[in-house]
Amino acid sequence: MAGRYGRPRSVLRMRTVAGQVFLLQVAIVVLLVAAAIAALVLQSRTDSEREARNRSVAVAETFASSPGIEQALKSPHPTAVLQPRAEAARIGSGVDFVVVMNTRGIRYTHPLANRIGKKFVGNLAPALAGGIVTEKITGTIGPLIQAVVPVTDRHSGKVVGLVSAGITISKVSGVVNGQFPLLFGAAGAVLLLTTGGTALVSRRVRRQTHGLGPAEMTRMYEHHDAVLHAVREGVLIVSGSGRVLLANDEARRLLGLPADVEGRQAAALGLGPDIAALLSSGRQASDEVHPVGDRLLAVNQRSTDQAGGPPGSVITLRDTTELQALIGTADIARGRLKLLYEAGTEIGTTLDVVRTCEELAEFAAHRFADIVTVDLAGAVLRGEEPTPSGTGPEMRRTAVSGRDAENTALYPVGKVVRFHPGTSLGEGLVNGEPVLEPELAALSGWQRQDPERAQRLLDHGIHSMIAVPLRARGVILGVAMFWRAQEPESFDEEDLSLAEELVARAAVSVDNARRYTREHAMAVTLQRSLLPRGLPEQNAVEAAYRYLPAQAGLGGVGGVGGDWFDIIPLPGARVALVVGDVVGHGLHAAATMGRLRTAVHNFANLDLPPDELLWHLDELVTRIDQDEAADAADGTAAITGATCLYALYDPASGRCTIARAGHCQPLLLRPDGTAEFAEVPGGPPLGLGGMPFETWELTLPEDSRLVLYTDGLVEDRDRDIDAGMAELARTLAGNPGRTPEETCEAALRTLLPERPTDDIALLVARTRVLDAAHVADWDVPADPSAVAEVRAAAVRTLVEWDLADAAFTAELILSELVTNAIRYASGPIHVRLIRDRSLICEVSDHSSTSPHLRQAATTDEGGRGLFLIAQLAERWGTRYTGDGKVIWTEQPLVEEVVGEQGAPLLSPPVA
């Protein structure tokens, strides 16, 4: 066909758009076919390797865990036993080899007998460490995957041998070659269909583009786009008959043209006579200035019939009236930008809602208005999430700043302001729209909020006001109000725009502070719920505690950390004292602390000794670390890290047993006032594992004080831990008459840093010793007839203790426990009664078998004793000792001697 300028064009030469579209579609189809073939080959290869790896690992693990492998490896002739089994496993599983070797890599089995006794080729180190290793190698039988797994001793867990299985990749390869004919056939069919469709499309495109090439069409588009959009000038195209063919947006704006201007006569557009005459004449014009309304336009006009084009003219319009105005507004814009920049540096310097509002008021009163007030919704001040429409027109005045602001009639700070919904300000708050009152004296309705105050404001000279809602994330937080009194100029639209920008930036800071307040309150609430609410009732020690969080902003969320303490009453009038520290601050540390505190409670209720309890706690922290490492996105996680000190005190004997895991040594204050650190063997911090914990035991005199603390008390940036511990000992020594509360106060008064960077937990316990008159014990011979003697002795003791009402129940409990001990236990049997806050009955023997409560059938002759005990006693349980066990029960006392604070006394008061 003929080209635009008479040059012949051919689709086959692929110079037209249609031809290039055809060529592009064909290339895309070919590329898709090639990509499909490559993807099929790669997928087949990947699947083959994965299947070979899974099969080799499965065969090796199955053979390594099969019965008799461990014994065969330890036998004098392992090959004689293992070779037949390995070959049977190889043939049955379809792998190419199953090799058993010792820990040095010497083969015991191989499909080729001459390879037996030689060293295995491959990486054995991970398997010798207890892992599984797979490798892709090229052997004499071709590329293969081999896996090596360990054979471990069932008792010690030590690796005693290795098993390797391998299979060539070719055995598990897919049938991809058979799919090539089908793929090529489908590709050919698609190519034919595409060719036909493209030919039809090419004909249509060729007609629509008039045979133009891509470069010509691109050039035409670029010219058109540059004229209409890139140039900031008005453009008109007028035909030779005087009709408007095209008008861009700028031309419509400058000339005030209607929307349907295309097709209308230029002379009928209602333009000024000068510009209308120019458009109708079609003459050439260059930068002629013509007035149009209140504008001065520079007009250029050129004919379009040059070089054989259609008749008509192109007119360009440029507004020159704005040049002078822009020079003046540039300085104003520069000043606004500087003001907003300075606002960003001076507003929102803290995460405190009230302080942020004060910074906004102070900044704006100094730079923009005479007086500024900021009101916030109550929910925002509390850190709560505001509703999408705010809290209604009711706000609380949060900040006021400005010259002589306190002497005006404006509401003071703290006043609850309810904006009248009938005023423009009330409506603006509900709708989230700013309000501009340039002349307050006009009384346009704003005075209905409070007519008396409105008149007083006018009398004070306040004459203009802007109110802008503080909006962030689509919700209204409050409102900022700007007032002018001394400055005579009223607020205008430019000032309103600047106020909106200023308040928008401040609203983000207020919302950030609100969210921080909410998150901080949630974190503190979480931690407080995880810490003890108060001291439990017990008579073993008199205790006092202090918990002081780190300062906000130092190491995470201020007020939230991982330090904790606990006092846990235990059976037999004993008590456990616990102090611990989880590394770090924030919700993670608090949550970890809660888990550890719960675990300590559970382990303590099992009556575990301190060293064994810390061992179980160490295992728990190790599992926590492993879980967090598995969940971490980058495959790594920081060690949780925690320290703990666990002390067990028995007031019956005065015996104290302590173990610690990486924690500070406790301070012991003796009754005479001397202070010394208990030499408790130091174990590793929790989570490191592999090291045992040791205990420290000592019989403490009555009125001894144990001081347990975390490192935040004795260590800070300016003092190392050794100096802090020495200072603690000097501070608390020499004052034997101090109560635990006074001891806590003295320690904090001396050692508390001005701005603590770490949490501080302090627990002081003054020991008590049970009155010997409130403890009775008997040795019971292994004779059923001794049960009656024990019952009688117990009843006499209870009568002496004025607990005759509890004698019948205690008699039944002791009878059942002693009878069971004589019948089923071994060794010496010992009975002990303790009068504490409850009546405690203990029966000990040398048997480690614990009784279990069960539901006896109606036909059973026995099995109801423990059920009876469970019904009669308030609590009961079993604890193990070094030479047996103790079964204990607790009964509530019918009559108690009450002390000054409502707690039962350890001994009757002296008359």
Side-chain angles (χ1 to χ4, degrees):
M1 61 175 290
R4 183 178 180 184
Y5 302 109
R7 294 190 298 270
R9 298 189 179 274
S10 173
V11 176
L12 298 178
R13 296 178 62 184
M14 300 302 179
R15 294 180 58 187
T16 64
V17 173
Q20 292 186 6
V21 169
F22 171 80
L23 185 61
L24 177 61
Q25 291 185 352
V26 173
I28 289 174
V29 172
V30 173
L31 289 176
L32 289 176
V33 172
I37 295 174
L40 181 61
V41 173
L42 292 176
Q43 183 64 35
S44 175
R45 183 177 300 172
T46 301
D47 292 343
S48 300
E49 291 184 5
R50 186 185 299 110
E51 176 61 24
R53 194 179 305 275
N54 292 341
R55 189 181 299 182
S56 60
V57 171
V59 171
E61 287 185 326
T62 303
F63 192 86
S65 60
S66 61
I69 293 298
E70 179 182 346
Q71 291 78 4
L73 287 170
K74 296 179 180 179
S75 65
H77 302 288
T79 300
V81 179
L82 296 174
Q83 178 68 7
R85 296 178 60 179
E87 284 302 292
R90 178 183 67 82
I91 296 172
S93 60
V95 298
D96 289 289
F97 64 85
V98 176
V99 174
V100 183
M101 66 198 87
N102 61 16
T103 56
R104 298 188 305 275
I106 304 302
R107 299 188 184 98
Y108 288 150
T109 67
H110 197 277
L112 301 179
N114 59 355
R115 303 286 180 89
I116 298 175
K118 296 183 179 180
K119 188 171 181 63
F120 179 82
V121 179
N123 183 15
L124 303 180
L128 291 174
I132 298 175
V133 60
T134 59
E135 298 177 288
K136 179 182 178 182
I137 64 173
T138 301
T140 57
I141 58 177
L144 57 85
I145 299 294
Q146 68 178 15
V148 181
V149 302
V151 179
T152 58
D153 187 277
R154 298 181 183 276
H155 301 288
S156 64
K158 182 179 180 183
V159 176
V160 298
L162 304 171
V163 176
S164 175
I167 185 172
T168 57
I169 298 176
S170 60
K171 279 192 175 184
V172 292
S173 296
V175 291
V176 67
N177 295 335
Q179 300 179 6
F180 285 132
L182 178 61
L183 181 63
F184 284 125
V190 171
L191 186 59
L192 289 176
L193 292 175
T194 305
T195 303
T198 305
L200 296 176
V201 173
S202 298
R203 292 183 61 184
R204 183 174 181 85
V205 172
R206 190 164 57 247
R207 287 196 301 268
Q208 293 178 346
T209 60
H210 302 286
L212 293 176
E216 294 169 309
M217 295 187 65
T218 301
R219 187 163 54 254
M220 291 179 61
Y221 173 80
E222 290 174 348
H223 291 171
H224 187 271
D225 185 75
V227 171
L228 293 182
H229 304 290
V231 179
R232 189 60 178 172
E233 292 182 345
V235 177
L236 281 175
I237 299 179
V238 181
S239 67
S241 60
R243 293 185 179 275
V244 177
L245 300 180
L246 183 145
N248 69 351
D249 294 340
E250 185 68 4
R252 296 171 189 268
R253 185 184 70 85
L254 295 176
L255 299 177
L257 300 178
D260 58 345
V261 66
E262 282 85 357
R264 297 176 60 177
Q265 288 290 333
L269 296 179
L271 302 176
D274 292 340
I275 188 70
L278 177 62
L279 297 180
S280 300
S281 66
R283 65 179 177 84
Q284 181 173 331
S286 298
D287 291 332
E288 293 186 7
V289 178
H290 295 270
V292 178
D294 57 350
R295 294 187 176 91
L296 292 177
L297 302 183
V299 183
N300 292 273
Q301 182 169 263
R302 295 291 184 273
S303 176
T304 60
D305 61 354
Q306 300 176 4
S313 59
V314 176
I315 301 96
T316 62
L317 310 168
R318 186 174 66 255
D319 189 1
T320 60
T321 57
E322 297 181 358
L323 294 178
Q324 188 62 36
L326 287 176
I327 296 175
T329 57
D331 294 335
I332 298 176
R334 189 181 302 109
R336 290 182 58 179
L337 289 176
K338 181 180 179 182
L339 179 68
L340 294 175
Y341 171 78
E342 293 175 350
T345 60
E346 297 183 25
I347 300 175
T349 60
T350 67
L351 288 174
D352 183 83
V353 173
V354 175
R355 181 55 193 156
T356 302
C357 293
E358 292 173 348
E359 290 173 345
L360 170 60
E362 293 169 0
F363 178 86
H366 179 66
R367 309 287 184 86
F368 178 65
D370 295 323
I371 301 174
V372 181
T373 63
V374 182
D375 305 324
L376 291 182
V380 177
L381 290 170
R382 296 189 298 270
E384 300 173 359
E385 189 75 23
T387 59
S389 59
T391 58
E394 183 176 297
M395 302 283 177
R396 182 178 294 275
R397 179 73 28 107
T398 307
V400 177
S401 181
R403 288 169 288 183
D404 202 27
E406 63 277 2
N407 296 325
T408 65
L410 294 173
Y411 294 113
V413 173
K415 174 70 175 179
V416 176
V417 183
R418 185 169 185 84
F419 294 99
H420 196 284
T423 63
S424 57
L425 182 56
E427 294 176 358
L429 279 179
V430 174
N431 300 325
E433 298 176 352
V435 176
L436 171 62
E437 292 285 351
E439 296 294 336
L440 294 178
L443 300 178
S444 59
W446 66 274
Q447 76 281 358
R448 289 196 294 269
Q449 170 71 29
D450 191 334
E452 181 183 352
R453 285 181 178 272
Q455 187 59 48
R456 291 167 58 191
L457 288 175
L458 293 176
D459 295 342
H460 190 77
I462 297 177
H463 60 85
S464 187
M465 182 269 292
I466 290 177
V468 182
L470 281 90
R471 179 190 291 270
R473 297 186 301 112
V475 296
I476 297 175
L477 309 178
V479 61
M481 304 177 68
F482 306 89
W483 311 82
R484 275 186 178 171
Q486 286 84 2
E487 189 172 344
E489 295 182 3
S490 300
F491 288 120
D492 55 18
E493 293 292 338
E494 291 292 330
D495 294 325
L496 177 62
S497 176
L498 178 59
E500 287 183 284
E501 289 272 358
L502 186 63
V503 172
R505 299 191 178 203
V508 175
S509 299
V510 171
D511 188 57
N512 289 339
R514 178 199 64 80
R515 296 171 67 182
Y516 170 81
T517 302
R518 180 190 62 185
E519 299 297 331
H520 180 257
M522 291 172 57
V524 171
T525 302
L526 171 63
Q527 187 186 37
R528 288 177 178 174
S529 68
L530 297 175
L531 287 172
R533 300 293 181 88
L535 297 179
E537 294 183 356
Q538 47 81 34
N539 285 339
V541 296
E542 178 189 355
Y545 68 91
R546 294 291 187 273
Y547 178 81
L548 300 176
Q551 292 287 344
L554 300 176
V557 180
V560 180
D563 291 16
W564 91 93
F565 63 92
D566 241 322
I567 299 178
I568 307 173
L570 296 177
R574 299 169 303 144
V575 67
L577 307 175
V578 190
V579 172
D581 184 5
V582 176
V583 174
H585 297 79
L587 289 177
H588 180 268
T592 303
M593 175 269 290
R595 297 170 70 178
L596 296 185
R597 180 171 177 256
T598 301
V600 170
H601 269 266
N602 293 334
F603 294 148
N605 288 333
L606 295 177
D607 264 319
L608 299 176
D611 55 343
E612 187 175 345
L613 183 143
L614 291 183
W615 184 87
H616 284 286
L617 202 60
D618 178 71
E619 289 291 310
L620 173 63
V621 174
T622 301
R623 287 196 297 272
I624 293 175
D625 290 343
Q626 292 173 349
D627 293 342
E628 291 183 352
D631 294 339
D634 57 356
T636 59
I639 296 296
T640 297
T643 64
C644 182
L645 185 144
Y646 185 85
L648 185 63
Y649 177 69
D650 185 355
S653 61
R655 198 71 176 168
C656 183
T657 306
I658 306 177
R660 64 187 179 104
H663 203 79
C664 304
Q665 290 180 339
L667 179 65
L668 176 60
L669 303 176
R670 296 190 176 274
D672 59 0
T674 58
E676 61 181 91
F677 287 99
E679 297 297 330
V680 181
L686 300 174
L688 299 183
M691 295 291 291
F693 298 97
E694 301 180 34
T695 59
W696 174 88
E697 292 189 17
L698 185 68
T699 299
L700 300 180
E702 190 171 9
D703 291 331
S704 298
R705 283 170 292 166
L706 272 175
V707 181
L708 312 182
Y709 53 92
T710 56
D711 57 357
L713 178 65
V714 294
E715 183 181 25
D716 60 20
R717 295 175 179 175
D718 302 324
R719 179 180 59 204
D720 60 30
I721 191 169
D722 293 333
M725 293 175 63
E727 180 68 19
L728 176 65
R730 287 193 299 269
T731 300
L732 301 183
N735 294 276
R738 279 178 177 165
T739 64
E741 286 287 344
E742 294 170 344
T743 304
C744 289
E745 289 298 327
L748 294 179
R749 187 167 51 250
T750 303
L751 296 168
L752 182 64
E754 182 178 354
R755 291 184 60 84
T757 58
D758 195 6
D759 304 333
I760 297 175
L762 174 63
L763 178 62
V764 178
R766 182 164 63 185
T767 61
R768 295 170 173 170
V769 177
L770 287 177
D771 190 345
H774 286 176
V775 180
D777 56 350
W778 304 273
D779 291 322
V780 182
D783 184 357
S785 62
V787 176
E789 299 177 3
V790 173
R791 289 201 306 263
V795 170
R796 288 194 299 270
T797 301
L798 293 178
V799 171
E800 294 175 0
W801 290 348
D802 293 330
L803 297 177
D805 291 338
F808 178 72
T809 302
E811 187 178 4
L812 290 177
I813 292 174
L814 281 177
S815 178
E816 179 61 32
L817 294 180
V818 174
T819 301
N820 284 346
I822 294 174
R823 180 178 300 177
Y824 302 111
S826 61
I829 301 171
H830 189 77
V831 175
R832 184 169 70 163
L833 291 180
I834 300 175
R835 179 183 179 179
D836 192 43
R837 290 181 176 269
S838 60
L839 178 61
I840 302 171
C841 301
E842 296 181 346
V843 177
S844 60
D845 56 58
H846 283 201
S847 172
S848 60
T849 303
S850 176
H852 297 282
L853 181 65
R854 66 184 182 88
Q855 185 71 38
T858 55
T859 57
D860 291 344
E861 295 183 0
R864 297 177 179 83
L866 286 180
F867 180 79
L868 180 64
I869 291 175
Q871 298 299 315
L872 296 177
E874 186 177 43
R875 296 172 58 213
W876 75 280
T878 304
R879 71 172 182 269
Y880 292 95
T881 62
D883 55 359
K885 69 175 183 299
V886 176
I887 302 177
W888 55 270
T889 65
E890 291 184 4
Q891 297 172 239
L893 299 180
V894 178
E895 295 182 359
E896 295 179 336
V897 180
V898 179
E900 294 180 358
Q901 299 180 355
L905 295 174
L906 292 177
S907 58
V910 179

